[in-house]
Amino acid sequence: QSMGACLITKTDTNPFFVKMKEGASAAAQEAGIELSTFAGKYDGDVETQIAAVESCIASGAKGILITPTDSRALVPVITQARDNGVLVIALDTQFEPADAADATFATDNFKAGELIGEWAAATLGDEAANAKIALLDLNASEVSVDYQRDQGFLTGFGVDVKDPKDIGDEDDPRIVGNDVTDGSPDGGRTAMENLLQVDPEINVVYTINEPAAAGAYEALKAAGKAEGVLIVSVDGGCPGVKDVQAGVIGATSMQFPLLMASKGIEAIKSFAETGEKPANSEGLDFFNTGVELITDNPVEGIPSKTSEEALEMCWG
Amino acid sequence: MSDTPGAARKGQEYEQTLDRSDKNVAAFQRQHSPIEKAQHVLHDNPTLVPVIVLILSLLIFWAIAGGRFFSAFNLSLIMQQVSIIGMLAAAQSLIIITAGIDLSVAAIMVLMSVIMGNLAVFMGIPSVIAILVGFVGGAAAGLFNGLLITKVRLPPFITTLGTWSIYYALLLWLSGAQSIRGTDIDTNAPFLKFFGNTIKMGGANVTYGSLLMIVVFLVLWYMLNKTAWGRHVYAVGDDKEAADLSGIRTDRILISVYMVAGFVCAVAAWASIGRVGSISPQSFYEGNLQSITAVVIGGISLFGGRGSIMGALFGALIVGVFQSGLRMAGVDVLWQVFAIGWLIIIAVAIDQWIRRVSA
Amino acid sequence: MSDTPGAARKGQEYEQTLDRSDKNVAAFQRQHSPIEKAQHVLHDNPTLVPVIVLILSLLIFWAIAGGRFFSAFNLSLIMQQVSIIGMLAAAQSLIIITAGIDLSVAAIMVLMSVIMGNLAVFMGIPSVIAILVGFVGGAAAGLFNGLLITKVRLPPFITTLGTWSIYYALLLWLSGAQSIRGTDIDTNAPFLKFFGNTIKMGGANVTYGSLLMIVVFLVLWYMLNKTAWGRHVYAVGDDKEAADLSGIRTDRILISVYMVAGFVCAVAAWASIGRVGSISPQSFYEGNLQSITAVVIGGISLFGGRGSIMGALFGALIVGVFQSGLRMAGVDVLWQVFAIGWLIIIAVAIDQWIRRVSA
Amino acid sequence: MSDVTPVVQGRNLVKRYGHVTAIDNSDFELLPGEILAVIGDNGAGKSSIVKAICGATVPDAGEILIEGEPVHFTSPIEARERGIEIVYQTLALSPALSIADNMFMGREIRKKGWMGDWLKMLDKKEMERFAREKLTELGLMTVQSITQPVETLSGGQRQGVAVARAAAFATKFIIMDEPTAALGVKESRRVLELILDVKSRGIPIILISHNMPHVFEVADRIHIHRLGRRLCTINPNDYSMSDAVAMMTGAMEPPDDLRAA
Amino acid sequence: MSDVTPVVQGRNLVKRYGHVTAIDNSDFELLPGEILAVIGDNGAGKSSIVKAICGATVPDAGEILIEGEPVHFTSPIEARERGIEIVYQTLALSPALSIADNMFMGREIRKKGWMGDWLKMLDKKEMERFAREKLTELGLMTVQSITQPVETLSGGQRQGVAVARAAAFATKFIIMDEPTAALGVKESRRVLELILDVKSRGIPIILISHNMPHVFEVADRIHIHRLGRRLCTINPNDYSMSDAVAMMTGAMEPPDDLRAA
Ligand SMILES: Nc1ncnc2c1ncn2[C@@H]1O[C@H](COP(=O)(O)OP(=O)(O)OP(=O)(O)O)[C@@H](O)[C@H]1O
Ligand SMILES: Nc1ncnc2c1ncn2[C@@H]1O[C@H](COP(=O)(O)OP(=O)(O)OP(=O)(O)O)[C@@H](O)[C@H]1O
Ligand SMILES: OC[C@H]1O[C@](O)(CO)[C@@H](O)[C@@H]1O
Ligand SMILES: [Mg+2]
Ligand SMILES: [Mg+2]
């Protein structure tokens, strides 16, 4: 019987996860692993992910790669998987606590946010003190990626975030407001419009991911503010990098879903063969798959790559 | 009269006095309280209810959120924001008037926008043709719903619960779960974004999409109220069996209604590309329930046969005004959800209260 | 007979022959084809249909996905997986039998699990009391639905569309949009996870939650079929006006049905904590539609008054078997969604075909 | 009117539906042991007045006395609890339920002992036995099975079930609203016999009908309703059908001494 | 049977509903200019047979000829297009729509010119005028407004609208299924007058009724239906009501020469 593994992503509607799936499938084929893939129907679909983990246990898989759609709610079921001798690796999103999984391969999401925050502050220079910031977050459930990026961005920008796990408890007057996007373009557009209504002078826009950024840009364009507003985002998908090139997005933090996937498959393979579990990065409670700031307007002191370079590395 | 053959030719004896019977019909007069009078006026013009609710909510949020809320700019923005759900609500109204319900409208719309995008952006087919293919596709999806409902005789709720899954799976498959980028559309098929163009008037920023929504409503209103087809649609929703017996081809009417609704969804698909600026399989996941919400707040009866399609337009606008107003007043998203829940209940309760008077 | 006072005491003359009239009723015999015979058998035992579909789908997936699928372990896993939606479907069935629909069942359930969790885990209140508070809360949420439906006379669809938003907003608020961790529950209130315990028998892993689901169905089946209350529930769903006139307090029955349904949702809430192992405000967002799906696949008529609640159990199991089988066969989620869409359509189409025979 | 206390009496009843006044200050009495026919044009308010009497609608004004005692029914159940039964124009049967279920709707019999007391279990056997007995008594046992759903019955059979239900449980009086309207000659005859049979058991009946020969055949008194109120009551032995029709249609003034208050 | 070609003729018609055979090899004819009454017990199959004739149900076997020519109606519209109108037991009106809308349901008049041709705009004025005219002709103009919804009318008025609709548009024949069942004495009389009026315009009528006096008053011939088939047809001048009732209920055998094939 060949070695089985599972990949469980949040949804099938986000290019990021689709890419991850492609990467994992390719790596699995190479490694001689039979990979089954699963996904929730929407971001936050806890039950489908639980059922998927259970099916993986039932089918005798050696390892599970999962991007938990709720970092806490899925802990019990993956604990059960581990008790059954299955290696569980979190991708992209950490569990809470992170050591609920055997390992995590993820972007340092706080760092990803911090980078774009620092970049935005540096780009504005002295004007950063008078910035008007819009924060376009994921959804009402505040999962870990959501607050890590949001709070990382604010930290990088120089805002006091108070509780770093709570979105929206800040009282810095430069923050115009938060709104949710569901990580989709139509959500991004409506959220941007709403915040513009609260203050038309917004000049810095943080977005949870690039689909949301694309929607936000449409709203700014429609309001005649295509120029002069900094949009920053996270992902580094090829469409997003092209948006950087086109000046739609000022800077984005690139993630490496293919790396997460291939690392994950590798880990399962070596676990199955040697029983060895992967180790975390130094000083972190996860394995950092790296993050790169992509911008065509680099600033002093923050290493970054240009969109042209980034097009070589991007995914999707 | 005695019971012998051929003796019964002049009616019963006891009926002979009928010629002298009173020819008047009963007429009763009585005083009405002002509330009852208002109730009657509204009863005779039921579309007034959502209009009044709309005006009231505008005034309330003006008071709460101030001039920024009541600006031409913001009002035109609300129009923009409701335009897509508004068009879905128009399609939904048609179906609800026939006593049906369509849980698949949003899936049809997103599916068609993906098809238009794939054809025009990736396959290089001229936008106009891509759009036409989308229109045909929308009508075909409606036709499929209609056939299941009329020929297989499945209840509309069940049919569209099923086809919603089917259309949703198809759109995931066709899109490969990828969004089509706004800039790619701009370069390869800018015409897909046509309805994103705006007309600036004073402070207002009216998109073509907002105007399209109004046109869609006016056209459907005309069809429903000024043509024989429209009378038949109402008759089918009112009492299908009676409509059948009085010589309406009810199956044909129902199929045509689902096709028109599917077509309207495809029109909304085109407009949504202009609105969102890109094409994403994850958009409008809640569009079905949102369109139903607009319809019921607009006072169209879920039992069919009653209500004006214009109500759905006002219903969609009321929801838009609430969302915008609450946001401006700095209310959390979660309390917006809460408020919409109460809005549905209160709006329909008022409507019920008014309908309780007989004409 | 002539029309003079007091002369009409013996009936019409032409009726005098009635004594001799034929006392037999028409009886017709004819041959039936085997298909028609099968149709009749199924017509007389409509719950057989979902049972047969269930058995067929088990066999099909056995053939496709092999022994791993048909193992005791996997079958007991399917039971576990459907247990929560199954209980929601039980609550939903009750309501659908009264010709209603409840879009708020899942929201009530999650809200009650959040309340139980907040009380027991964060506020240190004994689990038993927290659970009882949840039960009372579930019944109260049902009562609120029931009052809107009977006293304000809102259609159930609209009522629960509204209260769904309200309950959903409340649960987001109470949970602070955060899940309660499994480990916190284990330390502070392990009893909340009671229904997550399993009995191992052979390879099977039967959770208490799966057994609870079956108990819930049996109890409701008993109530519906063996008590006067149950007869009244069916009568209300069948023809509310007739039930009213024949002396049923229909409003009271409806309110009791919504309360029982709310209570069952709260029971499911407790079980869901055991099932999920944690309490997540974003779980079961689609539970409403999923419970309706189970009910309709189980052959309960959306028009009310017809169908056995056991059908919903089989409906839920059929969906579970499909999902598990497709997953094991390595089919993508999107094609799973696609398959469930067709399953709904085909299952209900078969049901319609069978109902088309008159008894 | 007479010195016996009426079984049921309505005084100055009023019921409005929006613009329409369905009952316009009308009086009403039913005397012990009698068959009272109520006749009147379509829309005269006949159904409205009997509905007010049995609690199916609540009158806007006026009072109702049962055996001299004022009552305020707010639902048909309250009337039923006092032994008042009504056969509606629309029958009020649940199509998907069985004949037995329908007959016992709202007054089901529970099993004896703990099964009934604690588990509230119905005694289906007993209910079916009783239902079969009643239908047989009324010569209506042409139905195949007492457990068949009412929707599988013909219109005449359904009417039979509704009438049998009322006859089986009434102790005070029975109201029948056009019970023969949809029935054939033979079936109508059976219902009339049934009415006389019920009367012979001492239970008074209110019969609404447009069929003058039927009315004149069975009624002891005739209440003529016109434009929402009682015009007069007549004795069928004193007046001809022509007179009754003339009065009810407004072609003839009622004799002064019979005029309603 | 006679040498004139029947307006409509049914031969060996069969219609089954599951276990029930509603029409059992029955024949049927309507002759030019006549009023044909159809009588029979409840459930005998009267409604079923006229529904088969007008396309509301499709018979399982047998043939239907209109003026000697075989037809296969699959919907009431096809019958209607040939000038056949039917007033159903259930009336078949749309309660929320206006009187005028109901009268023209399925045969609306469009505006003249491009508005009608291109925009398919209805000519509401004209339809209302016509509807008012027809109702007035039939003495039914007691309704307040031709645009009021049918649900605001009394039962008798609704019946009037249904009958007026049929009378206004029929060119071949009209079927009326128990048109007076729910009507009062006065209202019934008006419908009977209307039937005679239609007949005098040369349009034959099929009248189903349980009211023997009505049947014997207006019918030229009486079709007696029993147990799903035509038992015989009789001439009301040759037979008494007692005979008809006896035959229809099985108390008397029909004379051999009249027995249906
Ligand atoms: N629920 C109701 N809503 C509005 N109007 C009503 C209602 N019930 C009765 N009416 C009106 O009240 C009046 C009296 O109606 P009712 O049914 O009592 O007449 P009726 O004498 O029984 O007539 P019929 O012989 O046709 O049965 C009619 O004009 C009718 O339209
Ligand atoms: N749609 C149907 N489905 C099942 N059975 C039907 C249907 N229509 C009629 N029947 C049955 O066919 C038989 C004939 O019914 P039909 O309505 O033709 O009788 P009828 O002579 O018109 O009776 P009535 O005088 O009561 O109107 C009855 O037994 C009836 O139950
Ligand atoms: O929806 C949130 C998700 O979106 C992504 O940014 C990809 O676009 C993921 O990293 C994250 O988990
Ligand atoms: Mg009446
Ligand atoms: Mg009939």
Side-chain angles (χ1 to χ4, degrees), chain E residues 58 124-125 141 156 162:
Chain E
V58 180
K124 297 209 174 183
K125 286 248 162 51
M141 261 317 288

Side-chain angles (χ1 to χ4, degrees), chain A residues 107-120 145-157 206-207 232-234 252-253 291 293:
Chain A
T107 305
D108 185 337
N109 280 306
F110 190 85
K111 180 79 192 297
E114 211 173 8
L115 280 175
I116 50 178
E118 285 169 357
W119 177 86
V145 266
D146 198 11
Y147 64 70
Q148 286 167 350
R149 289 181 192 171
D150 175 284
Q151 304 284 294
F153 166 81
L154 290 175
T155 306
F157 198 85
Y206 155 82
T207 57
V232 293
S233 191
V234 178
T252 190
S253 284
V291 55
L293 183 69

Side-chain angles (χ1 to χ4, degrees), chain C residues 358, chain D residues 152-156 182, chain E residues 17 20-22 40-49 51 89 177-178 210:
Chain C
S358 358
Chain D
T152 63
L153 298 179
S154 79
Chain E
Y17 292 107
V20 179
T21 303
D41 279 348
N42 287 120
K46 305 179 295 298
S47 297
S48 299
I49 203 161
K51 280 192 187 157
Q89 238 174 322
D177 195 352
E178 303 189 35
H210 290 299

Side-chain angles (χ1 to χ4, degrees), chain C residues 66-87:
Chain C
R68 239 175 31 204
F69 169 81
F70 208 72
S71 64
F73 180 77
N74 193 49
L75 296 182
S76 65
L77 182 61
I78 293 175
M79 281 273 286
Q80 265 182 56
Q81 293 178 336
V82 303
S83 62
I84 305 303
I85 295 298
M87 282 185 251

Side-chain angles (χ1 to χ4, degrees), chain A residues 10-11 14-17 20 43 67-68 91-93 107 109 138-139 143 145-146 149 181-184 207-212 233-237 255 257 260 315, chain B residues 282:
Chain A
K10 291 185 185 180
T11 68
N14 186 327
F16 182 83
F17 299 124
M20 187 181 268
D43 213 321
T67 60
L91 304 182
D92 171 68
T93 304
T107 305
N109 280 306
L138 185 56
N139 58 29
V143 292
V145 266
D146 198 11
R149 289 181 192 171
T181 63
D182 289 322
S184 74
T207 57
I208 175 74
N209 63 10
E210 286 163 359
S233 191
V234 178
D235 264 356
Q255 322 191 64
M260 295 174 196
W315 47 269
Chain B
Q282 42 182 341

Side-chain angles (χ1 to χ4, degrees), chain A residues 12-15 18 41-42 179 182-186 189-190 193-194 197-198 218 221-222 239 242-243 248, chain B residues 68 73-74 77 80-81 168 172 177-178 181 183 193 205 274-278 280 282-284 327-328:
Chain A
D12 246 350
T13 55
N14 186 327
V18 176
K41 290 205 283 286
Y42 53 93
D179 203 348
D182 289 322
S184 74
D186 63 321
R189 173 155 192 177
T190 306
E193 286 168 345
N194 297 337
Q197 275 311 98
V198 178
E218 292 295 328
K221 198 167 75 175
K242 285 187 202 143
D243 281 341
V248 169
Chain B
R68 232 179 36 209
F73 180 76
N74 191 45
L77 181 62
Q80 263 182 59
Q81 293 184 333
Y168 185 65
L172 287 184
Q178 301 276 358
R181 270 168 17 111
T183 38
K193 279 195 174 177
N205 231 342
R275 161 84 193 133
V276 178
S278 57
S280 158
Q282 42 182 341
S283 319
F284 299 104
R327 232 155 17 216
M328 292 224 165

